[in-house]
Amino acid sequence: MPSKRTYRFVFVALLLVSAGFLLNGYLSSTARGGEAELAQQASLPADERAQVATPREGMTVITTSSRPGSQAELVAFNPNGTVAYYNDSFRKFFDVDPVPGTTRTVEYVASRNLPSAECPIEAAREECILNAVVRVNVSTGETTHVYERVTHKDWHDVDRLDSSRLLVADIAEDRVFVVNTTTGMQDLAWDAQADYPIKGGGFYPDDWTHMNDVERLDDGRIMVGLRNQDQVAFLHPEQGLQENWTLGSENDHDVLYEQHNPDYIPESEGGPAVLVADSENGRVIEYQRTDDGWNASWAWADSELQWPRDADRMPNGHTLITDSNGNRVVEIDRAGDVVWSVGIDTPYEAERLSTPDESEGGESAQRLGLDSRGDTAAVESTGEEEKRHTNPSRQLWNLIQGLVPSLIVNGVVFIMPAWVGFRDVLTVVGMGFITFVWAVAEFRWSAWELQSPLSRRR
């Protein structure tokens, strides 16, 4: 039987290996291009900047939403992989859209906290937050502040209607409104309380719908993402909520589970279809509209995908995916293979400026004949192809999500430092278990025993 010294050696070795694994994760995160390196690169003359991302045709713009140990930022990568533009002047960055008619100009939504002395509204219930819509040329840095408003919540999405009007997903008041940036006048487009019971969703009124996306469709309708209701809703300008078009239903997590950033693919591109980052289910999924309603037509996940928050179908049939808890943005081809990726802390949304806004111009998965990849649950199995791309890491992730609610799993990952990923969390849990077992062993080897009261063994 092994001696106590042997057991102690094993315990120490396991802890050292685990610590080395964590150190490697930290160093890898630092090496892949953290915000400090990106900011430093942006401060250099353009011809002296080093390549920090894999070269890719077209400029890629990424926004991030900070978590412990990271700084929110908006970063533009040149086609050659160098930093074209960097901005960390806001607390959080959310939606970013290319400005039509331009090649290097974007409009983004960002927020920062205001001190109570500067807050023009009563902020007793929530924080006082300045939401800003800003336009910037990522080549020249020329910036224009388009619109600002102080609320209790961060706005996540604003959609431009024309040269002077914006469509706003007002997460603070659970409504959609149109604002004229020239006059400041607002018109209410829809109030969620008119069609949804306040007993559902999240806590009312603090975070009831978590309205995180809004999109005006070519036929005049409005599509709205209601994260806490697990739904994508469609609004007719005259008829209001089109209940028969609603995608998902509250707590039906097989369909959607606290999703982000749905993109509408019109009939002209093989739709109607909706491509959505199904965040808590850890997948990107597409639903095709049929006479029977919405049917899952394609889904994608790999062993690294942890909490996607954006997915855009590009005109070439590729899909650009933002994986927030995976700390990366990836582009996958029609076969589902990753053909480009960049590591960045807690990305929220990504846009390829050589393509139209979001999934505009992209075709549906059904028309493209895309096969699902990975453990995607809501679509039919792809047989041997699926098995080949489902590795033990993904299977372990699925097992944990089956045992522990994904809200808890993803919540733990989200509040950890930005360099900490899912495997790092598992490593910390494992180190805790090893330490506990060692402590129990040392107690059993000692001269003490548990009695009432505690006494030494005779």
Side-chain angles (χ1 to χ4, degrees):
M1 183 176 180
S3 64
K4 298 176 183 177
R5 178 178 296 180
T6 301
Y7 280 117
R8 289 184 177 116
F9 175 81
V10 171
F11 288 136
V12 171
L14 288 173
L15 289 174
L16 287 176
V17 169
S18 299
F21 189 90
L22 287 176
L23 179 61
N24 179 69
Y26 171 74
L27 294 177
S28 298
S29 174
T30 303
R32 71 166 184 244
E35 63 268 10
E37 180 186 1
L38 296 176
Q40 190 271 335
Q41 286 292 320
S43 68
L44 297 174
D47 59 353
E48 296 180 13
R49 298 176 188 177
Q51 179 184 317
V52 293
T54 305
R56 196 66 181 166
E57 182 180 355
M59 182 176 284
T60 306
V61 181
I62 301 172
T63 61
T64 77
S65 179
S66 63
R67 57 176 175 163
S70 69
Q71 170 65 49
E73 55 199 356
L74 183 149
V75 187
F77 294 95
N78 283 310
N80 66 359
T82 61
V83 175
Y85 177 80
Y86 180 87
N87 183 352
D88 63 356
S89 61
F90 286 90
R91 179 178 67 98
K92 291 184 178 181
F93 292 85
F94 297 100
D95 176 57
V96 59
D97 298 322
V99 175
T102 70
T103 59
R104 293 289 185 268
T105 301
V106 299
E107 217 163 64
Y108 65 86
V109 180
S111 65
R112 66 164 62 98
N113 290 85
L114 289 179
S116 56
E118 300 178 17
C119 186
I121 61 175
E122 182 182 353
R125 188 183 69 180
E126 300 281 352
E127 297 177 287
C128 188
I129 295 174
L130 173 69
N131 292 288
V133 179
V134 183
R135 178 176 292 193
V136 62
N137 183 305
V138 294
S139 291
T140 66
E142 181 182 357
T143 301
T144 302
H145 284 256
V146 176
Y147 183 70
E148 293 182 346
R149 183 175 175 84
V150 177
T151 71
H152 299 295
K153 287 285 185 183
D154 301 299
W155 285 352
H156 289 199
D157 191 27
V158 172
D159 198 26
R160 178 164 287 281
L161 299 181
D162 53 40
S163 60
S164 61
R165 295 186 305 149
L166 301 174
L167 185 67
V168 180
D170 187 0
I171 195 172
E173 302 297 334
D174 304 294
R175 61 177 184 159
V176 177
F177 70 85
V178 177
V179 60
N180 186 308
T181 58
T182 302
T183 65
M185 297 296 293
Q186 295 182 17
D187 291 316
L188 180 65
W190 182 65
D191 190 330
Q193 293 186 63
D195 294 290
Y196 285 86
I198 61 174
K199 64 180 180 180
F203 293 107
Y204 180 88
D206 296 332
D207 190 24
W208 176 42
T209 63
H210 201 94
M211 186 182 293
N212 60 25
D213 190 83
V214 64
E215 180 179 344
R216 200 268 302 268
L217 309 183
D218 291 341
D219 59 14
R221 293 183 299 162
I222 296 172
M223 184 178 72
V224 184
L226 306 176
R227 193 198 74 174
N228 287 350
Q229 278 73 17
D230 307 308
Q231 295 175 35
V232 178
F234 289 79
L235 314 174
H236 190 278
E238 298 176 356
Q239 303 169 3
L241 178 67
Q242 295 182 301
E243 294 188 32
N244 63 325
W245 269 77
T246 299
L247 169 59
S249 58
E250 188 164 356
N251 297 324
D252 185 2
H253 296 157
D254 288 340
V255 178
L256 292 174
Y257 192 3
E258 298 208 347
Q259 73 290 338
H260 284 80
N261 292 337
D263 283 355
Y264 184 77
I265 299 176
E267 189 173 353
S268 61
E269 302 297 339
V274 174
L275 175 65
V276 58
D278 193 6
S279 304
E280 290 295 342
N281 279 327
R283 66 188 178 186
V284 173
I285 191 164
E286 185 171 317
Y287 286 92
Q288 184 81 22
R289 180 77 178 177
T290 68
D291 293 339
D292 298 327
W294 295 102
N295 294 313
S297 56
W298 176 82
W300 184 88
D302 70 357
S303 61
E304 304 296 325
L305 193 66
Q306 294 183 27
W307 200 48
R309 281 207 276 188
D310 186 39
D312 297 345
R313 177 70 40 70
M314 296 188 288
N316 63 357
H318 293 192
T319 307
L320 190 66
I321 298 171
T322 300
D323 183 11
S324 282
N325 281 2
N327 294 326
R328 61 175 184 156
V329 173
V330 299
E331 177 186 344
I332 62 171
D333 63 14
R334 297 187 183 198
D337 294 323
V338 175
V339 294
W340 180 85
S341 67
V342 61
I344 189 167
D345 293 334
T346 325
Y348 185 88
E349 186 169 2
E351 285 285 343
R352 182 67 52 75
L353 296 192
S354 57
T355 67
D357 181 26
E358 296 179 338
S359 293
E360 183 181 344
E363 295 179 287
S364 70
Q366 180 172 282
R367 173 177 286 185
L368 291 169
L370 303 184
D371 289 329
S372 298
R373 174 72 68 88
D375 185 357
T376 53
V379 293
E380 294 183 0
S381 171
T382 55
E384 294 303 318
E385 180 71 8
E386 179 177 343
K387 293 177 183 177
R388 186 165 67 87
H389 294 281
T390 302
N391 64 24
S393 174
R394 184 70 194 182
Q395 292 171 350
L396 178 59
W397 171 254
N398 292 337
L399 175 62
I400 290 175
Q401 285 190 311
L403 298 174
V404 182
S406 60
L407 282 173
I408 296 177
V409 176
N410 289 319
V412 169
V413 174
F414 189 77
I415 64 175
M416 297 294 283
W419 63 270
V420 175
F422 166 64
R423 292 179 180 82
D424 300 304
V425 173
L426 289 182
T427 302
V428 172
V429 172
M431 292 177 71
F433 179 74
I434 294 169
T435 303
F436 173 76
V437 172
W438 189 1
V440 171
E442 290 290 352
F443 180 80
R444 290 181 63 86
W445 296 333
S446 71
W448 297 91
E449 63 182 356
L450 287 176
Q451 291 184 350
S452 182
L454 188 68
S455 63
R456 290 178 61 89
R457 296 189 184 96
R458 296 180 180 178

